[in-house]
Amino acid sequence: MQTEILTVALTFLATVALAWPLGRYISKVYAGEKTWLDPIFNPIERGIYRFSGIEAQREMTWQENLRALLTINLVWFVGTFLILLNQGWLPLNPDGNPSMTPDLAFNTAISFLVNCNLQHYSGESGLSYLGQITLVFLQFVSAATGMAAAAVVFKAMKNRPNTGRESLEPAGLGNFYDLFFKSSLRILLPLSAILSVFLLFNGTPMNFEGKETIYTMQGDTVQVSRGPAAAMIPIKHLGTNGGGYFGANSAHPLENPNFLTNTVELIAQAIIPIAMIFALGFFLRRRKLAMMIFGVMTVGFLLLAVPNIIFELQGNPAISAMGIDQSAGAMEGKEVRNGVASAGYWSILTTVISTGSVNAMHDSTMPLSGMNELLAMMVNSFYGGVGAGILNFYVFLILAVFISGLMVGRTPEFLGKKIEAREMKIAMIVALLHPFLILVSTAFATWTITADPSLPWLNNPGFHGFSEMLYEYTSASANNGSGFEGLGDNNPFWNITSGIVLLLSRYIPIIGPVAIAGLLAAKKSIPESGGTLPTDTATFGLVVISVIFIVAALSFFPALVLGPIAEHFSF
């Protein structure tokens, strides 16, 4: 066990060490500075812009950036929906997988479009190879969309007009298409290519052949799916997407072949979200601010991850009471080759980062581990998804500046811009939307199944059944994609209701921070004075984490008491 714990600690430290230079590189990409990959990607970008007619140098306002983002996302949704509805007769389907039903295609298209990848189908049996490739495309563009939106906020935070009044013209905040292509080509694609080659050499398939017949040591035959898996798995982690090529996700031996790939996949899913924090510091030339943000997020992450590892290593007391050895920890739903400590660490990393991939079944973790997994998604502001994590945290920064400024009698200012009623209203709407969507949706589902207990949703009634429903909507609202798999979710009710939650929880938290940043960018700059509240100190970091705890975490404790906490005390 000590070796497992040491490996987990070294994995986290390696992730942070690699994220620092990557953050510097990302900053240079968004700032338009020279990088060592320019000779490769400059001609490709020029060709794309010339062919598409994109004026990459034209600065857009925050409204124009959002219009471009929403329009292209709508096009991707329609195209994906049609492909999934017709994949049964379209090419690249050697295993004869059927077309999706309209409600499942609706849910799947939205889920991958919004970077959630909540899967109500079983990966290798629910999609043709064309369907898998289509979703790989969405995994790239959804991640790049979040990163481009974050880059717009970066530019807004740096944009400081020095007029003596608010600017009559909206401030130019980059070009969405330019930022989108830079995110895709210069950041996501090179990293994905490196990881793909690594997985190929470790046994992950990359072909278009049908199922292979495998003979087991018992003499049985098993049909094992293959296909272009090595292309999907890297971007599912690097883009904090999470949807696995195989139904078992990274617990599948072809998706995650060994302990080394397990470690690399852990690094892959966290490296860009952490690097985006450092990139903000480099971009704004405010490293102390970035370190404050990193410190708050890391404290929150460790407060969830460390207990989870301990809970899983302690084992299941109900099984111990039966006289069964629990020295290896709570092994139900876990892979021996990965270990219990790795599973506990992964379960929090994937819910904090909003990747949603799994290397063990979350439905089988200890009740308090499940509570921490839920809390990680409910808070939804520690590291977070690529781009989206910074946007979520930005909202809490605005709230913390306003609240702490009022408490100490100082002007609520952030980076030289006054926080006023408009910005606060938007920030509160975004902050309260998350608990509203989760709690109202869970209440509606609970009422529905109470009215008709014959509905085939819950394999685990009682406290755990409530946790399964709560987890589903929490995962959807946090753009996570993992699930308590005891829930029967592939039906019109869950496909449609979770699809609606997916849509609202993705775009409003993008629109809100971009709008706040755009409004602030147009305001006059206020020179720092003795009345300015410093926002790059440990003291302010404590204020931010307190605001996150009060606004986000406390909203969910009544629901958590009804689910995982009650289940824990029922042992």
Side-chain angles (χ1 to χ4, degrees), residues 535-554:
T535 56
D536 55 4
T537 64
T539 302
F540 184 72
L542 289 174
V543 174
V544 175
I545 203 166
S546 299
V547 170
I548 291 171
F549 179 77
I550 293 169
V551 174
L554 287 181

Side-chain angles (χ1 to χ4, degrees), residues 108-131:
T108 304
I110 290 176
S111 183
F112 279 76
L113 178 74
V114 302
N115 200 239
C116 181
N117 298 17
L118 191 70
Q119 292 176 289
H120 288 179
Y121 63 92
S122 182
E124 66 269 44
S125 62
L127 286 173
S128 67
Y129 292 166
L130 178 61

Side-chain angles (χ1 to χ4, degrees), residues 139-343:
Q139 287 180 320
F140 271 98
V141 297
S142 65
T145 295
M147 295 176 73
V152 170
V153 172
F154 285 11
K155 289 178 177 291
M157 293 168 72
K158 194 173 185 178
N159 186 305
R160 304 182 66 176
N162 288 312
T163 61
R165 55 189 173 82
E166 288 194 20
S167 174
L168 296 177
E169 295 295 328
L173 302 176
N175 183 298
F176 169 77
Y177 296 111
D178 181 51
L179 297 171
F180 167 79
F181 280 115
K182 280 181 165 56
S183 301
S184 300
L185 289 173
R186 296 174 180 264
I187 302 169
L188 295 171
L189 188 61
L191 292 173
S192 296
I194 293 170
L195 186 53
S196 292
V197 173
F198 173 79
L199 291 175
L200 278 169
F201 278 103
N202 279 275
T204 300
M206 183 65 196
N207 55 50
F208 289 98
E209 299 176 11
K211 294 180 179 179
E212 176 72 18
T213 301
I214 303 295
Y215 297 92
T216 69
M217 295 180 67
Q218 295 176 323
D220 299 327
T221 59
V222 180
Q223 296 293 311
V224 178
S225 296
R226 295 177 286 179
M232 182 178 195
I233 298 161
I235 189 57
K236 95 166 185 179
H237 286 123
L238 290 164
T240 61
N241 291 283
Y245 183 92
F246 298 98
N249 214 278
S250 287
H252 196 289
L254 294 184
E255 192 159 319
N256 185 14
N258 52 53
F259 192 80
L260 180 59
T261 60
N262 186 74
T263 302
V264 171
E265 289 180 14
L266 279 169
I267 294 173
Q269 60 186 294
I271 190 169
I272 295 181
I274 295 177
M276 289 292 287
I277 303 168
F278 299 146
L280 175 65
F282 287 120
F283 190 87
L284 300 180
R285 292 181 171 82
R286 291 177 175 264
R287 296 187 190 180
K288 287 181 65 178
L289 175 64
M291 294 311 297
M292 182 277 293
I293 295 172
F294 174 72
V296 170
M297 291 185 174
T298 301
V299 168
F301 167 67
L302 293 177
L303 287 174
L304 295 169
V306 173
N308 250 43
I309 295 172
I310 294 172
F311 294 150
E312 297 306 310
L313 287 174
Q314 286 176 341
N316 190 324
I319 296 177
S320 296
M322 300 167 62
I324 298 174
D325 180 29
Q326 291 280 286
S327 60
M331 283 302 301
E332 179 189 344
K334 299 177 180 67
E335 295 287 312
V336 174
R337 60 199 171 91
N338 296 330
V340 172
S342 172

Side-chain angles (χ1 to χ4, degrees), residues 428-441:
M428 285 307 303
I429 289 172
V430 174
L432 295 177
L433 175 73
H434 187 54
F436 176 82
L437 289 175
I438 294 170
L439 297 176
V440 171
S441 300

